[in-house]
């Protein structure tokens, strides 16, 4: 099944509650995907230090402090890091893409699961709410967050296979469903020079969107292009440095519900994930139409 | 001594009770005749399998399969309903005052399902005798393989309305994005105006039957015919 939750805050006074609200939303979706989970937070000042870039890693073979010291020497700048098992977080006064490249060079066996100026990605295997509590999600702050509970269908139950797939700067894509023609699209992207980390079908969608955005296409257009290119079942939540977007396939068999108030926009697989949001009783609640792209900007 | 059913209104709170406990109370021989359920918060399978003439009002939004398999009971949802509301209903009435998600009234054999707002995709899929009246719009593939019953839509219908329809009758006041295979527009005769007026009255909608268009099966797909192969 998989469960998707996302919260885009418009009201700054709610920023300190982002992690707590997202944790509650995630908790309601545990039974849609109890095997693994991932979450991404935009704007937590501890996880994404102001003025520094952030890189999130999985399978780092050395402790974060040791890797940070090595990177500090190779980049000739101060890099700091800490472990949130199994995720590792690194910060540095250097471009996020440059820091990610340096990480790949120093620890090629580790996997970059997110990079950007404002974004931290955390993933793990196990009960989603246990993971969220272990990572400290309830006390996180920020302006936007997405999370996913995974019921694996297309690839193995690993932390790498959990969503969000974050393959472009400050970008995340979470998916409920499966793509049926992803291999042919993957081969075309590879011919165009795009490299892949996993056998996961959702990564193909994320790479596709990231490529369009890198080429200057706006998010709405990129998702319309995705609709034209991908077959299969998908409800997608896509977030960027300033946007929050939802799109569903033409058949729309995977559920989605959106609630919107002046204070926030939220999306989830089911209403019960939205039930405790502040002011939800006065929200405009609706189900997104098939193949229609919904985008909110900061 | 046999328990005596109370006629007093009873309030059950889902914040303090489990869905299972509430459903057990609603289906027990001692169930009150009139019940209000508060705090549903999107719970699944609420008021499912009711089989007496109990009157249940749910204050808030419900999740999947609310009032499924209903017989005799009247269930009113003061909010939105998730996937499969009134699925496989046999009789009675289910009234959603907000929107309904996908597959509302799927495979239902009888009774009346009223949705004041919009219904999403596959409304009335494989309906087998239920009457469904929707105040707003319905999504794509609605009444797919509909076998019996009536689907009334005061708003617009999405793509492939009535695809592979058998004998269910469809009345739409607004636009239809497209008709599914074997579904055609049909003449509104006096008997249909009468039937529609009665359905609108029962559902509590004040609308003029003459503004509606009737759709039904062209009956070309009942038996396989090679000339229709492209339509399958």
């Amino acid at each position: 099944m998989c469960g998707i939750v996302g919260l885009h805050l418009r009201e700054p006074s709610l920023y300190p509650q982002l992690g707590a609200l997202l944790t509650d939303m995630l908790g309601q979706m545990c039974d849609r995907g109890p095997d693994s989970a991932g979450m991404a937070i935009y704007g937590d000042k501890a996880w994404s230090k102001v003025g520094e870039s952030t890189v999130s890693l999985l399978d780092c073979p050395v402790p974060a402090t040791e890797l940070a010291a090595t990177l500090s020497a190779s980049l000739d700048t101060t890099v700091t890091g800490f472990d949130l098992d199994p995720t590792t977080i690194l910060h540095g006064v250097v471009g996020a893409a440059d820091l990610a490249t340096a990480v790949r060079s120093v620890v090629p066996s580790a996997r970059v699961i997110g990079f950007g100026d404002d974004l931290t990605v955390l993933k793990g295997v196990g009960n989603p709410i246990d993971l969220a509590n272990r990572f400290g999600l309830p006390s996180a702050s920020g302006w936007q967050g997405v999370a996913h509970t995974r019921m694996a269908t297309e690839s193995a139950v690993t932390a790498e296979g959990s969503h969000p797939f974050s393959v472009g700067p400050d970008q995340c894509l979470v998916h409920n469903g499966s793509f049926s023609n992803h291999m042919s699209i993957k081969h075309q992207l590879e011919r165009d020079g795009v490299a892949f980390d996993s056998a996961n079908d959702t990564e193909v969608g994320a790479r596709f969107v990231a490529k369009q955005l890198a080429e200057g296409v706006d998010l709405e257009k990129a998702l319309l292009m995705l609709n034209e290119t991908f077959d299969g079942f998908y409800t997608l939540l896509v977030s960027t440095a300033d946007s929050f977007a939802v799109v569903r396939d033409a058949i729309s068999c995977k559920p989605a519900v959106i609630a919107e108030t002046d204070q926030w926009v939220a999306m989830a697989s089911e209403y019960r994930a939205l039930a405790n949001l502040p002011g939800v009783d006065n929200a405009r609640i609706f189900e997104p139409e098939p193949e229609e792209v919904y985008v909110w900007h900061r | 001594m046999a328990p005596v059913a109370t006629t007093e209104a009873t309030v059950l709170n889902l914040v303090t009770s489990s869905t299972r406990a509430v459903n057990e109370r609603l289906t027990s021989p001692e169930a009150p005749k009139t019940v209000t359920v508060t705090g549903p918060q999107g719970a699944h399978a609420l008021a499912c399998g009711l089989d007496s003439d109990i009157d249940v009002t749910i204050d808030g939004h419900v999740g999947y399969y609310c009032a499924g398999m209903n017989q005799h009971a009247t269930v009113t949802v003061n909010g939105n309903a998730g996937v499969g509301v009134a699925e496989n209903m046999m009789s009675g009435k289910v009234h959603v005052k907000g929107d309904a998600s996908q597959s509302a009234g799927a495979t239902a054999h009888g009774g009346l399902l009223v949705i004041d707002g919009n219904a999403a995709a596959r409304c009335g899929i494989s309906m087998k005798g239920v009457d469904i009246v929707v105040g707003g719009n319905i999504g794509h593939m609605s009444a797919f393989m509909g076998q019996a019953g009536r689907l009334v839509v005061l708003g617009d219908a999405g793509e492939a309305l009535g695809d592979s329809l058998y004998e269910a009758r469809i009345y739409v006041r607004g636009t239809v994005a497209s008709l599914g295979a074997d579904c055609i527009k049909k003449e509104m005769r006096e008997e249909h105006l009468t039937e529609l007026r009665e359905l609108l009255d029962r559902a509590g909608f004040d609308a003029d039957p003459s503004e509606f268009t009737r759709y039904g099966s062209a009956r070309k797909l009942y038996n396989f015919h090679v000339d229709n192969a492209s339509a399958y």
Side-chain angles (χ1 to χ4, degrees):
Chain A
M1 287 200 282
C2 294
I4 295 175
V5 297
L7 182 59
H8 173 93
L9 296 176
R10 291 166 158 162
E11 171 55 54
S13 66
L14 289 173
Y15 291 179
Q17 294 183 53
L18 176 71
L21 295 171
L22 197 68
T23 303
D24 182 77
M25 295 171 77
L26 183 69
Q28 291 294 328
M29 292 296 99
C30 280
D31 57 7
R32 293 189 67 90
D35 62 32
S36 56
M39 50 216 80
I41 290 286
Y42 290 79
D44 182 274
K45 290 182 172 52
W47 283 347
S48 301
K49 287 187 180 175
V50 177
E52 298 188 26
S53 63
T54 299
V55 171
S56 302
L57 285 180
L58 273 177
D59 301 327
C60 185
V62 296
T65 48
E66 190 179 315
L67 175 60
T70 308
L71 289 165
S72 297
S74 68
L75 289 168
D76 196 23
T77 185
T78 302
V79 175
T80 56
F82 60 97
D83 289 308
L84 277 176
D85 181 39
T87 308
T88 300
I89 311 295
L90 296 167
H91 300 123
V93 187
V94 55
D98 292 339
L99 183 56
T101 302
V103 168
R104 288 192 183 98
S105 156
V106 172
V107 281
S109 65
R111 177 163 299 170
V112 173
I113 56 166
F115 65 99
D117 296 330
D118 209 18
L119 168 71
T120 305
V121 178
L122 303 160
K123 295 184 181 185
V125 171
N127 179 284
I129 208 68
D130 291 346
L131 283 170
N133 286 325
R134 205 174 80 213
F135 291 147
L137 184 65
S139 55
S141 63
W143 60 272
Q144 180 168 273
V146 302
H148 184 266
T149 63
R150 182 169 188 237
M151 185 172 281
T153 54
E154 293 293 305
S155 60
V157 178
T158 59
E160 288 87 351
S162 62
H163 307 199
F165 279 88
S166 176
V167 300
D170 289 308
Q171 294 168 26
C172 286
L173 180 147
V174 292
H175 176 199
N176 177 19
S178 57
F179 295 128
S180 54
N181 63 341
H182 63 282
M183 287 309 293
S184 57
I185 299 166
K186 183 176 184 175
H187 292 149
Q188 182 59 51
L189 288 169
E190 286 175 331
R191 284 193 287 276
D192 293 343
V194 175
F196 284 81
D197 283 340
S198 74
N200 188 290
D201 62 328
T202 304
E203 186 188 352
V204 183
R207 296 276 175 198
F208 179 90
V209 171
K211 182 172 187 290
Q212 311 313 327
L213 296 177
E215 290 172 357
V217 172
D218 69 26
L219 183 57
E220 181 171 13
K221 173 72 175 168
L223 295 178
L224 289 170
M225 292 167 74
L226 183 144
N227 279 345
E228 290 171 9
T229 310
F230 283 77
D231 287 334
F233 302 131
Y234 53 89
T235 289
L236 299 176
L237 176 59
V238 183
S239 57
T240 70
D242 65 355
S243 304
F244 185 83
V246 177
V247 66
R248 300 168 86 190
D249 68 86
I251 305 298
S252 294
C253 70
K254 296 299 179 184
V257 60
I258 293 171
E260 184 173 12
T261 70
D262 292 342
Q263 282 73 45
W264 47 260
V265 179
M267 179 267 173
S269 297
E270 295 178 42
Y271 171 76
R272 61 193 162 121
L274 310 175
N276 292 325
L277 289 173
V280 73
D281 289 344
N282 298 315
R284 183 172 81 96
I285 299 170
F286 62 100
E287 194 161 304
E289 296 287 335
E291 289 198 307
E292 191 162 331
V293 175
Y294 299 81
V295 185
W296 291 266
H297 297 288
R298 201 176 178 193
Chain B
M1 195 171 89
V4 178
T6 170
T7 54
E8 288 179 18
T10 301
V11 176
L12 303 177
N13 187 341
L14 270 166
V15 177
T16 52
S17 302
S18 68
T19 303
R20 175 167 297 187
V22 169
N23 281 344
E24 282 177 355
R25 185 84 192 276
L26 295 177
T27 53
S28 75
E30 302 83 32
K33 284 286 183 198
T34 306
V35 180
T36 298
V37 178
T38 57
Q41 300 192 97
H44 289 187
L46 199 53
C48 263
L50 304 185
D51 59 359
S52 66
D53 62 351
I54 185 172
D55 192 327
V56 180
T57 300
I58 302 172
D59 269 335
H61 306 306
V62 296
Y64 287 18
Y65 309 124
C66 179
M69 302 178 288
N70 188 54
Q71 295 191 84
H72 310 301
T74 297
V75 178
T76 304
V77 178
N78 287 326
N80 300 332
V83 172
V85 64
E87 185 178 67
N88 213 48
M89 174 161 61
M90 303 304 285
S91 63
K93 180 182 177 184
V94 176
H95 185 178
V96 179
K97 296 203 169 175
D99 295 340
S101 186
Q102 305 175 42
S103 304
T107 75
H109 291 246
L112 175 66
L113 169 62
V114 180
I115 298 160
D116 289 354
N118 300 315
R122 294 171 277 274
C123 179
I125 186 169
S126 197
M127 52 197 283
K128 294 178 169 68
V130 66
D131 291 325
I132 304 175
V133 184
V134 181
N137 306 322
I138 58 170
H140 61 267
M141 295 297 280
S142 289
F144 173 57
M145 293 205 303
Q147 289 146 59
R150 286 79 58 96
L151 171 61
V152 179
V153 184
L154 279 77
D156 303 328
E159 303 275 356
L161 177 69
D163 192 81
S164 304
L165 195 66
Y166 291 83
E167 292 303 314
R169 286 194 288 283
I170 305 172
Y171 299 96
V172 181
R173 184 166 69 171
T175 59
V176 174
S178 68
L179 293 173
D182 213 33
C183 183
I184 57 170
K185 186 187 284 190
K186 293 191 168 184
E187 180 193 0
M188 282 287 267
R189 297 193 297 269
E190 191 54 43
E191 71 215 60
H192 303 115
L193 292 168
T194 304
E195 170 180 82
L196 181 53
R197 187 173 291 111
E198 185 264 343
L199 278 167
L200 289 164
D201 286 348
R202 274 173 60 209
F205 287 109
D206 181 19
D208 181 354
S210 69
E211 294 173 356
F212 288 72
T213 303
R214 180 169 70 104
Y215 301 89
S217 174
R219 303 190 177 95
K220 301 277 193 205
L221 297 180
Y222 268 48
N223 301 294
F224 180 77
H225 189 289
V226 73
D227 291 346
N228 297 328
S230 63
Y232 285 95

